[in-house]
Amino acid sequence: MLVVVVRSKLANGQETSTFEYDQPVITIGRAEVNDIVLPTPKVSKRHARLEVTPHGLVLTDLKSTNGTYLNGRKVMAAVLVGEGDHVHVGEFSIEVKSATGMPSKPMGKSGQPGFTALAQASADTEPNDQNQTSNEEPPTRRGAAYRMSWLDDWAAPSSQRSAGSASSNPSRNSSRTGTLLEGHRRESSMTFVLQASMPGLISVGQHVSLRVWADARMNAKEAQSGRLRLSSALEVSLSLPDGKIEAPHCDHGMLQVVNGGQSAEMVISLRGRDVGPARIELAVCHRGARIATLTLRPEIRAMSLVELGELSPHSEIQVSTPLESVLPACGPHVILRLREFGPLLAPSENGGPVGPSLGETQPSISGSHNQENARRRRLKVDLCLLHEETSEIVASGEVPLEVPLSDRLRTFMASQEVERVGTVIDSARESALQAVGESLASMLLPTSVREALGALAPGSWLMIDSAETWVPWELVRVSRGLTSHYLGERFALSRSGSGSYVARFATMPCVLVTPPGGEAMVRREQQALASLDVRLRQVNRLMDALPLLSQPGMAAWHITGHGGFDRADRSGASLRLEEGVLSPVQVMPAARFRKSGQTPPFQGSFIFIAVSEPTAPQAPLAPAGTSQWVERFLAAGAGAVVATTFPLSSAKCAQFAETFYRAWSSNRPLAIAAAEAREAIRADGDPAWLAFAVYGLPGARLGSL
């Protein structure tokens, strides 16, 4: 515990406040994002930092305007602080009383961090420091209306957090969920091998069977302990986006898998509806987390009976994907699942493909393939609560689509409503941003699902399972009564993908990839990463980065742009490095390495991708170009990815990264650390705080527990 006493000289006397911390790094400054807030013009926005190290308590001046003094001497470099020493910052004197153990949230006399305002702090009262852009950010506006109060539970003592979480959980088994929130882990896990097969050629109107089966293996440590009867469940969800195939009987199901190599099998009946190559997507979830996406591409032909009888029995499409071990307690509590279905029937009056009449089409298990829905393209949305090995649908609905969802959303993101956010004055920007979030909600979510989301307890762990990686889900607004919230502020939010989904991440070695010429802008990110790995490797040459892309064992990659990303491609922006360009296509999928018996380089790694500009972007909601990066890293086996959906300023980017790594290294879950970082950079009318998306298990943590 670190106890700090801060004294300030007032006109009517002296004010003293005491703060207690259990975090390793404490920042001091005028901006409200600091741990100790000193709101006077003589204090820089980021003035100084106290850090607990193995050598003791270290004081560092962050290039402040008026300097930091220790016992009357100006601090020129990092210096050790002993008990009883006095640190002078502006009109304030700071004394460290005790530092026993590793450095929660400061609690002063009023219960809030900071001091009584001695003067109105603003940018106009401080000298213009043009050479300190990497350390100085615009002040963040926060208050009761903007505070994500559920984050306070994570700064409370363990017993209080567990009790509070259990009482607010929307699941029926609240006591169990409270235990999960506390970080309890059942060390029972399995590794799945999933396969799917079906004929490669299908005749129009022909019924075929899609077989999905899985084998499971317990890890060696558990097998030796005698736990031989471990079972689990994989949820299989079917999506037919192009409408050339229909599934008349079901679009989802469960694979009950028992450890020991016993195969569980699921058979889905399909039927060809239109001539041409088709696409079938199977999303496989374990405790709500999408751990694999299998894509099959059969070809549908109009064939005679003779040709149909000559089909080769070996013309099958097979996919074999190893699914990494997932600790059951690390899954989400709530799942928002979206599946796109194309039109299933086509007119046949002019000699086109002929199929059975509408009366012959049987309804599916979930009711999504009935006669009415067979004529139109739609987006099926389910909101599920997670139980032990099953999920309970609490709200469901469909949204009609005239065009594929990706095309519809791209059109919306280029509309005048979105562009208006960057053109209106600051005072009107927040209302414009809220209007965009409400439009996205009405476009993506049925009314019943929006109401159910609004009824969930704030702070619930929510995973969004959708194939579209670039959708700005954090910006979507949900409402309950007269209140409305962004998804990114109401929930501990993460997204699904097809990565490894490990529950714990190693701390080292780390790689920092930056464009040349941005050394000053990445200083804060360097310091944050160095707290995880003192052997941090910084790369700004393409020839140094390429070998690392095929070298396994890297625990974390931090890729930051600061103006170095070429966003000409809105899906896959390329990063300009010395001697060349780094692009998503240079990240190889994990399957390519597994075929040769090698370990995928990014297996279980943590990836941070930030597209930023030296100044605030004029089009704040323009696509950042990270969707291909996310998809490639997940396909390469990454355990989690944090990426920007639209660009932001370099100062905001660095501040988010610093807060995120600080919270994550303090044993915060992945989704909670991201929520704290969003809150740290939040400002009225600035969408930057909603730019970062998290792909991975929301409860995943850093290092050993």
Side-chain angles (χ1 to χ4, degrees):
M1 181 67 68
L2 186 64
V3 180
V4 180
V5 178
V6 185
R7 298 180 177 88
S8 64
K9 294 182 179 181
L10 300 174
N12 56 354
Q14 189 177 54
E15 180 182 351
T16 302
S17 295
T18 301
F19 302 91
E20 296 182 355
Y21 302 87
D22 60 4
Q23 63 193 48
V25 180
I26 301 166
T27 58
I28 305 168
R30 195 183 69 209
E32 295 183 8
V33 297
N34 292 284
D35 300 301
I36 298 179
V37 181
L38 308 176
T40 66
K42 292 184 178 181
V43 179
S44 297
K45 297 167 188 174
R46 285 180 50 83
H47 197 105
R49 180 179 67 239
L50 288 168
E51 181 177 4
V52 175
T53 69
H55 306 288
L57 186 64
V58 176
L59 171 67
T60 305
D61 180 76
L62 300 179
K63 293 186 177 181
S64 61
T65 302
N66 296 313
T68 304
Y69 295 83
L70 177 64
N71 298 328
R73 293 177 177 269
K74 189 172 183 178
V75 175
M76 305 300 295
V79 62
L80 289 174
V81 178
E83 188 169 347
D85 288 345
H86 291 270
V87 179
H88 294 275
V89 176
E91 306 96 331
F92 299 88
S93 174
I94 302 174
E95 180 182 1
V96 180
K97 287 291 187 180
S98 63
T100 58
M102 292 300 294
S104 126
K105 179 179 175 181
M107 296 298 294
K109 293 180 180 180
S110 63
Q112 299 292 336
F115 275 78
T116 303
L118 303 182
Q120 181 64 36
S122 67
D124 298 332
T125 60
E126 183 174 343
N128 186 14
D129 301 331
Q130 297 293 339
N131 60 342
Q132 300 180 28
T133 56
S134 62
N135 290 314
E136 304 288 342
E137 315 86 30
T140 303
R141 294 180 58 185
R142 292 192 299 176
Y146 297 98
R147 177 69 180 163
M148 290 190 284
S149 59
W150 56 268
L151 282 176
D152 295 337
D153 295 338
W154 291 95
S158 301
S159 58
Q160 298 178 16
R161 183 167 69 247
S162 177
S165 301
S167 61
S168 62
N169 187 337
S171 175
R172 293 179 299 183
N173 193 346
S174 59
S175 60
R176 177 184 65 82
T177 308
T179 305
L180 297 183
L181 283 173
E182 178 55 26
H184 175 68
R185 296 289 182 266
R186 296 185 306 171
E187 291 296 337
S188 55
S189 59
M190 294 190 292
T191 300
F192 303 100
V193 177
L194 184 77
Q195 292 182 318
S197 71
M198 66 175 296
L201 299 177
I202 306 174
S203 175
V204 175
Q206 177 192 6
H207 287 265
V208 297
S209 294
L210 167 61
R211 296 177 59 241
V212 185
W213 68 97
D215 295 330
R217 290 287 188 274
M218 189 185 299
N219 63 47
K221 180 179 179 181
E222 293 170 352
Q224 294 175 0
S225 66
R227 302 180 186 177
L228 301 178
R229 295 295 299 174
L230 178 66
S231 63
S232 187
L234 301 178
E235 185 173 358
V236 180
S237 181
L238 177 69
S239 181
L240 308 168
D242 51 28
K244 297 182 182 296
I245 287 181
E246 76 168 315
H249 298 298
C250 75
D251 57 20
H252 76 278
M254 300 293 294
L255 280 174
Q256 298 292 339
V257 186
V258 179
N259 177 66
Q262 301 181 26
S263 297
E265 184 177 271
M266 177 181 176
V267 179
I268 303 175
S269 177
L270 302 176
R271 180 168 53 199
R273 301 303 301 165
D274 199 359
V275 175
R279 187 169 86 253
I280 301 173
E281 294 177 355
L282 286 171
V284 184
C285 301
H286 185 212
R287 288 194 57 82
R290 184 192 286 201
I291 49 181
T293 301
L294 304 184
T295 302
L296 297 89
R297 298 184 181 276
E299 186 174 353
I300 302 176
R301 298 180 182 177
M303 293 176 287
S304 64
L305 293 177
V306 176
E307 292 174 322
L308 186 60
E310 294 177 352
L311 282 177
S312 170
H314 301 290
S315 59
E316 290 189 340
I317 300 174
Q318 293 191 358
V319 182
S320 179
T321 304
L323 309 180
E324 300 305 318
S325 299
V326 179
L327 295 182
C330 289
H333 297 160
V334 188
I335 310 145
L336 180 63
R337 181 175 297 117
L338 297 95
R339 296 289 180 266
E340 184 178 357
F341 290 89
L344 301 181
L345 294 178
S348 57
E349 297 178 356
N350 54 358
V354 179
S357 65
L358 289 176
E360 298 177 8
T361 302
Q362 301 181 21
S364 70
I365 295 175
S366 61
S368 64
H369 295 291
N370 54 31
Q371 298 177 10
E372 180 183 354
N373 291 337
R375 293 188 179 92
R376 57 189 175 91
R377 176 180 290 272
R378 68 244 184 245
L379 182 68
K380 186 172 184 293
V381 185
D382 296 323
L383 184 66
C384 311
L385 295 182
L386 188 69
H387 301 298
E388 284 296 333
E389 295 297 346
T390 60
S391 58
E392 172 193 2
I393 298 179
V394 295
S396 182
E398 293 184 350
V399 177
L401 297 173
E402 301 81 10
V403 295
L405 177 63
S406 58
D407 295 340
R408 182 177 182 183
L409 285 174
R410 284 180 172 85
T411 301
F412 174 76
M413 295 304 291
S415 65
Q416 292 182 354
E417 181 178 357
V418 175
E419 292 180 351
R420 180 174 176 267
V421 175
T423 59
V424 297
I425 59 177
D426 292 344
S427 59
R429 184 172 294 174
E430 182 62 29
S431 60
L433 194 64
Q434 293 175 6
V436 171
E438 292 167 358
S439 298
L440 281 171
S442 61
M443 182 184 303
L444 296 168
L445 303 177
T447 303
S448 58
V449 175
R450 294 203 303 269
E451 292 176 351
L453 277 171
L456 293 176
S460 300
W461 284 0
L462 173 65
M463 175 169 278
I464 297 175
D465 183 10
S466 172
E468 296 294 342
T469 57
W470 63 274
V471 178
W473 286 106
E474 293 73 17
L475 184 59
V476 173
R477 289 180 70 86
V478 294
S479 60
R480 183 184 182 184
L482 299 177
T483 61
S484 183
H485 303 271
Y486 298 105
L487 285 182
E489 74 174 318
R490 186 171 181 85
F491 303 110
L493 184 66
S494 68
R495 308 186 190 194
S496 66
S498 56
S500 298
Y501 280 92
V502 296
R504 299 172 187 166
F505 291 85
T507 58
M508 60 180 67
C510 299
V511 179
L512 173 62
V513 182
T514 62
E519 290 77 8
M521 297 182 182
V522 300
R523 187 174 296 114
R524 293 174 66 179
E525 290 152 290
Q526 285 176 326
Q527 295 172 347
L529 285 166
S531 65
L532 305 180
D533 182 9
V534 294
R535 302 171 300 174
L536 174 67
R537 181 168 183 176
Q538 185 170 350
V539 174
N540 56 25
R541 297 174 66 246
L542 181 64
M543 299 309 295
D544 294 334
L546 289 179
L548 297 177
L549 295 178
S550 58
Q551 176 182 333
M554 293 297 173
W557 283 69
H558 186 102
I559 303 174
T560 186
H562 296 302
F565 271 102
D566 181 3
R567 296 191 291 117
D569 185 348
R570 295 192 171 189
S571 297
S574 54
L575 179 62
R576 297 184 295 271
L577 301 178
E578 288 187 8
E579 303 175 355
V581 173
L582 186 66
S583 63
V585 297
Q586 293 164 313
V587 180
M588 296 294 104
R592 180 171 300 184
F593 294 91
R594 292 193 181 108
K595 287 180 180 178
S596 58
Q598 297 176 294
T599 301
F602 295 97
Q603 190 69 41
S605 298
F606 173 78
I607 312 294
F608 192 112
I609 310 169
V611 177
S612 63
E613 306 293 340
T615 58
Q618 294 182 351
L621 294 182
T626 55
S627 59
Q628 283 189 16
W629 286 98
V630 173
E631 293 167 1
R632 298 289 293 198
F633 275 118
L634 291 176
V641 178
V642 175
T644 49
T645 53
F646 39 88
L648 64 163
S649 67
S650 294
K652 291 284 187 181
C653 172
Q655 186 180 356
F656 180 96
E658 183 181 44
T659 308
F660 171 82
Y661 283 120
R662 183 196 310 170
W664 206 28
S665 62
S666 300
N667 203 26
R668 296 284 199 268
L670 179 63
I672 301 299
E676 291 190 14
R678 287 193 194 101
E679 172 67 5
I681 67 171
R682 180 166 186 165
D684 191 10
D686 185 0
W689 74 289
L690 296 168
F692 287 92
V694 177
Y695 300 81
L697 291 174
R701 307 217 182 194
L702 181 66
S704 58
L705 299 179

